[in-house]
Amino acid sequence: MRRRQRPAGAVAVWASPDGSRRFYTRRARQWLIPVFAWFFAALALVGPGPEFGLYNTWQSGVPIAFVVVTASTFVTYGAFRSGVLVEPGWVTNRRMLWTNRVPANDIARFEPPPAYGTVRRTGIRIVLHDGSIISAAAFAKGKVDNDSVGVAECAELNTWLETQRGIHVAPPLY
């Protein structure tokens, strides 16, 4: 899929050429989490292993290095893919470990994330008609965030949701 620049006034990170698919995420979160993951991976590989004699030869250090690099790669992949993808008739909430895919007709509204300090469902809230809530964790608020996190995204997503009422689309095969 070719990506294009986002239209003026839109808050989606990217959109398909025809504008039918859009992806929402926080760029800072996408880059900050992998930077921390690889920083701590470098510390783990350089510091405690040789310092405490966990491995004395390179052969005994390879399994530890493999685990650390694999974990950092997994965290990086999860951070880059997290966000909300909207396409005709469907909303896909990608998180670090799993993905929720919901038909647009089942969604009542999108709500901005709650204030910092909330333990559960900290991101943009996808409220379903049955009252259950799915949280888009890519928009979770931190200590340094202000109250505007996720507000513009929710407004655009709610506008998109109004255009999807009554559209029944078969799920894609991918």
Side-chain angles (χ1 to χ4, degrees):
M1 166 193 335
R2 285 186 20 219
R3 296 179 184 170
R4 67 179 175 112
Q5 297 292 336
R6 55 186 169 159
V11 293
V13 173
W14 64 259
S16 63
D18 61 354
S20 63
R21 296 181 66 186
R22 292 185 230 156
F23 185 68
Y24 299 86
T25 192
R26 291 179 69 188
R27 290 277 189 193
R29 181 183 167 92
Q30 261 188 328
W31 289 100
L32 199 58
I33 290 174
V35 165
F36 278 123
W38 287 102
F39 173 75
F40 288 115
L43 285 179
L45 292 174
V46 174
E51 183 69 28
F52 297 115
L54 295 178
Y55 46 89
N56 295 325
T57 63
W58 70 270
Q59 291 96 342
S60 60
V62 168
I64 295 171
F66 178 76
V67 168
V68 169
V69 169
T70 302
S72 295
T73 303
F74 179 73
V75 168
T76 300
Y77 174 74
F80 281 139
R81 73 181 296 271
S82 65
V84 177
L85 173 68
V86 294
E87 52 193 346
W90 292 92
V91 174
T92 304
N93 177 24
R94 295 178 176 171
R95 300 200 284 195
M96 293 278 274
L97 298 177
W98 57 83
T99 298
N100 301 102
R101 191 166 168 78
V102 182
N105 289 330
D106 291 349
I107 299 173
R109 66 188 174 280
F110 294 90
E111 294 178 351
Y116 173 74
T118 306
V119 177
R120 296 187 66 219
R121 296 184 175 92
T122 59
I124 286 180
R125 294 177 174 199
I126 304 169
V127 181
L128 304 180
H129 286 295
D130 65 1
S132 59
I133 296 174
I134 300 172
S135 178
F139 290 92
K141 286 187 181 177
K143 280 186 173 184
V144 297
D145 292 324
N146 58 16
D147 290 337
S148 67
V149 171
V151 173
E153 289 84 357
C154 282
E156 190 170 313
L157 286 166
N158 282 322
T159 303
W160 171 85
L161 189 60
E162 290 301 318
T163 66
Q164 300 299 308
R165 299 291 184 214
I167 294 178
H168 295 285
V169 179
L173 299 175
Y174 59 90

